[in-house]
Amino acid sequence: MPGQLVLGLIVAVLIHNLKTGKNVYKVLLYIAVICDWVVFCNIIDYIFQPDEGSLVNYCLTTIGILKEPVAWLKNTWTGNFVIWICSIWKGYGWVMIIYTAGLLGIPSDQYEAATMDGANAVQKFFHVTLPGLRGTTLYLLINLINGAMNIFIQVFLLTKGDPLGTTDVVMDYIYRRAFNYFDFGYAAACGIVMGIVVFAISMGLKRFLRYGENL
């Protein structure tokens, strides 16, 4: 979630400041969002195969970073790393689109006033852009938290929670308890608790960011 939020914001600001070609970059970066998860995970699984013939292992062993192939999806840290990178790459395009829309709502006279006061680009970003995107950020945080709690397909297709559940997530755990062990009552209880947690976090964010107030 932080990776998608930060990367999406940075890319949105860069695209917003372009003079031409904004829509082209938006389309190119959004392709990953509309790509089917099953197809995407099958490609990732092929790229990160544990043998020397896989793309990642071949490239890293050829340039000398690795001495021998790594079983990326069979180890705890590398497996989680692949899932994180895939999730960030798959979702930051959506964050970028929302932030670019939010940037259009910031009045240009605020940037002009900051320029007259001698503010540089970094100061404008922190004192004009970020405050102007507070409502957009709240909306994105709530949706990204919901999305993070609902991560399932990438774990189910890439690692299945292995090794020993160290790459597991809540939705995959609920699925296995319900359909592998037929413990439907326990799985339903886990789902209710997860819903309560998401609701509490969302309300906490709304209160913390003071959504709707003039800041």
Side-chain angles (χ1 to χ4, degrees):
M1 185 191 72
Q4 290 183 0
L5 193 70
V6 174
L7 185 59
L9 175 60
I10 294 173
V11 174
V13 172
L14 293 176
I15 292 177
H16 182 72
N17 291 327
L18 292 175
K19 300 299 182 181
T20 58
K22 295 182 180 180
N23 291 331
V24 175
Y25 286 105
K26 290 178 184 178
V27 171
L28 291 176
L29 295 175
Y30 196 75
I31 290 176
V33 180
I34 61 177
C35 179
D36 185 73
W37 261 115
V38 176
V39 176
F40 176 69
C41 288
N42 285 331
I43 295 173
I44 294 300
D45 183 63
Y46 177 78
I47 292 175
F48 286 93
Q49 286 292 309
D51 53 64
E52 294 183 1
S54 68
L55 178 62
V56 174
N57 280 332
Y58 174 77
C59 293
L60 294 181
T61 53
T62 300
I63 62 179
I65 295 179
L66 296 178
K67 295 183 179 179
E68 57 183 21
V70 174
W72 295 89
L73 300 177
K74 301 300 181 182
N75 295 304
T76 300
W77 291 107
T78 55
N80 280 315
F81 175 77
V82 172
I83 292 173
W84 296 338
I85 293 299
C86 293
S87 300
I88 292 172
W89 185 81
K90 188 79 166 61
Y92 86 93
W94 176 77
V95 176
M96 175 268 299
I97 291 294
I98 301 300
Y99 266 134
T100 51
L103 288 169
L104 295 175
I106 301 177
S108 59
D109 56 357
Q110 294 186 11
Y111 290 102
E112 294 173 359
T115 302
M116 295 178 63
D117 290 337
N120 55 35
V122 176
Q123 291 172 328
K124 291 179 184 178
F125 176 78
F126 285 102
H127 297 286
V128 178
T129 303
L130 286 184
L133 294 174
R134 187 180 293 270
T136 305
T137 301
L138 172 65
Y139 170 80
L140 287 171
L141 280 174
I142 293 174
N143 282 274
L144 289 176
I145 289 172
N146 291 331
M149 295 295 289
N150 287 307
I151 286 178
F152 171 72
I153 299 177
Q154 52 268 58
V155 175
F156 182 77
L157 294 177
L158 292 176
T159 66
K160 295 181 173 59
D162 295 331
L164 300 175
T166 53
T167 61
D168 210 353
V169 290
V170 176
M171 288 300 296
D172 185 62
Y173 176 75
I174 293 175
Y175 173 87
R176 288 188 290 104
R177 296 296 303 187
F179 298 104
N180 289 358
Y181 301 101
F182 302 102
D183 194 353
F184 294 105
Y186 179 77
C190 290
I192 293 174
V193 171
M194 185 178 70
I196 294 173
V197 170
V198 172
F199 178 79
I201 294 175
S202 300
M203 292 298 100
L205 286 173
K206 182 177 180 180
R207 183 177 180 84
F208 176 76
L209 293 176
R210 292 182 291 171
Y211 180 66
E213 295 186 12
N214 295 321
L215 299 175

